[in-house]
Every structure is written in structure tokens, then in C-alpha cells.
Amino acid sequence: MTDVRTIAPYTVEDLEVCCAVSDDDVLGSCLLQSPAIASGEIPLREFRGAPSLATAMNDALRSSNRRIVIVPHQDVYFPPGFTQQLLHQLNWLASRNLDPAVFGVIGVTAAGDVAGQTWSSGIGNLVGKAIAEPVEVVSLDEVLLIINRDVGARFSDDLPGFHLYGTDIIQNARQIGAPSYVIPVDVVHHSRPLVKPARHYWRAYNFLRAKWRKQLPIPTLFGGIRRNRTHLARVDFRYRRAHWGSSTRPARTRSTGSSGSPTRTSTRPR
């Protein structure tokens, strides 16, 4: 949100990680191995047993005393230098008096273009499109969300499950005139391949389709949200046909070296 006020520079003391946890083994082999987390440089709060990501992270936002709340999947790894990269991007925007509501590492612009890039171990490759500087977007992949508490955007408490909350909070932010951005920060996602959208994805999709019907269509990384949901069935069919016979089991996380970091990580091209 562009403002006449001066935005104070961000420091590591402004950062906190809040993560919804359902699998301690995944958490321990991925997020907890991140140098920024393992060293205590950025504090981590874990949230368990919540009925939805929205309720868990709204609780996190209400109870936090930090300016920036980082919301990753439990199977994300922050490589060395993550903290410095993140602060550099936040302060690059602040120096231009830009005060976005939400940040992420991969998303979709209003024109439907993918922006941002991350390494996915589920497919063994980079996903997305590298960017050199922040890009405004209308939806974000939930692999990593970074919430600016000062702006005041929150998740919809009644959004069910653990899908599409990155799209939802951006729409909430747009209602108060606040933009959201993809920023070039390196993360590794130890994901499993997507074979088809789960039943819970359809529930979240239908919720957003009803709540944001006046804003439709909304571009997303998985086919977009439209008034007529038959397009999602077509996307579903194409994914299932492309991955016919694929296992839906979680991909094995990469082994860690003596430093505690994955032995193979890939950063975005410079």
C-alpha cells in the first residue's frame, strides 16, 4: 500500500515463522533443517490440530508481536542466506515507499503470467519463471507466504481446509487497497507430485468461487478460479492423464549433509 508515511527499515527482529504442522518427520527433515531456523535467527512457532490453515494463521497473526509473519509449508527448506535475501527485498520495496500486504516466491499476475521460481524436489526441477525484482500478483502459491501485519490483511476464517488461502488473502488485501508481490528469494520445496486436486481443494475452490464471484476470473497456478467450474475438471483430467500411474506418495526428502542443509539445492538463475 503506497502511503505518505515513511516505512521503517526491516530487520531480523521483525521476522517470525509460523507453521501449521501435521507431520513431525517432515518438519524435522525440512523446515527445521533451515539454517535460519536451526540457529534461532528467526523464531518458529508451530500450530497443530487446527481445522483449517486460515484459522491457525489468523491466530498466529493476532498473537504475533513481529511486523512480518512467514508462513511456509512444513516441507519447505530455507537455504543459507534466506534471511538476508528476504530483508533485502522487503527493504527494496520499503525504500520506494511500497507497503504490500502479502509476499510470496511464486504467483500469477493479473494478466495470467507466472512470476517467481522455486526448486521442487517432487519433480526434481525448478518451477516457475525467474524474476529480477518484485512483481505484483493476484494469487500466490502457498509454498511460502510472507504476511505484513502492519497492513492488516487476514485470511477468511471460514475458508475450509488447507488450499487456496494464498489467493484468498490477496483478495482480502485488494479490498483494502493493498497490493501483493512475488519476490526473488530462494527456497526449496520438498513436495510430492500433484496428480489430481484433492476433495478438499474442490471445497476451497467452491468457497472462493462464491465469495469472490464479482472478482472472477482470478488467475491461479492451477487453472484459475472462474464462474463455471467445468474448466477445473478439464485441468484435473489433463493432470491425471499426464501422470497416469504416478504414485501419490510423498517424495523422499533429500539427505542432509554435515551442515544440516540438503545435499542438493538449486537457486534461481542469476
Side-chain angles (χ1 to χ4, degrees), residues 83-161:
T83 304
Q84 292 70 32
Q85 284 188 335
L86 175 57
L87 289 174
H88 174 76
Q89 296 300 325
L90 296 178
N91 285 318
W92 186 91
L93 288 160
S95 70
R96 289 155 177 78
N97 212 37
L98 294 171
D99 204 15
V102 189
F103 310 85
V105 293
I106 184 168
V108 183
T109 69
D113 298 321
V114 175
Q117 194 172 63
T118 186
W119 173 267
S120 171
S121 65
I123 62 173
N125 209 338
L126 288 164
V127 175
K129 182 178 180 181
I131 56 174
E133 60 184 39
V135 174
E136 187 172 352
V137 292
V138 296
S139 66
L140 284 167
D141 190 289
E142 289 84 7
V143 60
L144 178 68
L145 299 181
I146 302 159
I147 316 298
N148 184 347
R149 289 183 62 250
D150 291 344
V151 174
R154 298 293 182 264
F155 300 96
S156 298
D157 276 314
D158 46 351
L159 172 65

Side-chain angles (χ1 to χ4, degrees), residues 31-231:
L31 187 61
L32 293 184
Q33 296 293 324
S34 306
I37 302 297
S39 68
E41 180 180 47
I42 305 178
L44 168 67
R45 287 197 292 155
E46 302 169 15
F47 292 77
R48 302 167 186 272
S52 69
L53 188 287
T55 56
M57 290 304 105
N58 279 341
D59 286 345
L61 291 167
R62 281 190 290 266
S63 59
S64 179
N65 60 1
R66 305 290 179 116
R67 296 170 68 192
I68 298 293
V69 171
I70 303 165
V71 180
H73 283 177
Q74 62 191 2
D75 59 358
V76 165
Y77 171 81
F78 301 152
F82 168 83
T83 304
Q84 292 70 32
Q85 284 188 335
L86 175 57
L87 289 174
H88 174 76
Q89 296 300 325
L90 296 178
N91 285 318
W92 186 91
L93 288 160
S95 70
R96 289 155 177 78
N97 212 37
L98 294 171
D99 204 15
V102 189
F103 310 85
V105 293
I106 184 168
V108 183
T109 69
D113 298 321
V114 175
Q117 194 172 63
T118 186
W119 173 267
S120 171
S121 65
I123 62 173
N125 209 338
L126 288 164
V127 175
K129 182 178 180 181
I131 56 174
E133 60 184 39
V135 174
E136 187 172 352
V137 292
V138 296
S139 66
L140 284 167
D141 190 289
E142 289 84 7
V143 60
L144 178 68
L145 299 181
I146 302 159
I147 316 298
N148 184 347
R149 289 183 62 250
D150 291 344
V151 174
R154 298 293 182 264
F155 300 96
S156 298
D157 276 314
D158 46 351
L159 172 65
F162 294 82
H163 297 282
L164 290 171
Y165 52 89
T167 301
D168 177 66
I169 193 172
I170 288 182
Q171 303 312 308
N172 285 331
R174 287 163 68 88
Q175 295 297 297
I176 60 174
S180 299
Y181 281 79
V182 161
I183 54 179
V185 173
D186 298 327
V187 300
V188 177
H189 188 200
H190 289 304
S191 61
R192 63 180 179 180
L194 175 63
V195 176
K196 63 179 180 178
R199 172 174 55 88
H200 300 294
Y201 183 93
W202 284 92
R203 289 180 60 207
Y205 180 93
N206 288 332
F207 174 90
L208 264 67
R209 189 165 63 97
K211 177 168 184 175
W212 302 112
R213 59 187 179 277
K214 293 182 179 179
Q215 283 72 40
L216 299 181
I218 300 172
T220 70
L221 287 164
F222 191 76
I225 300 172
R226 306 180 190 176
R227 288 180 174 83
N228 186 334
R229 78 174 202 168
T230 57
H231 79 286

Side-chain angles (χ1 to χ4, degrees), residues 253-270:
T253 57
R254 302 193 185 280
S255 60
T256 57
S258 59
S259 64
S261 61
T263 55
R264 180 181 181 187
T265 62
S266 177
T267 57
R268 57 186 170 81
R270 302 297 182 186

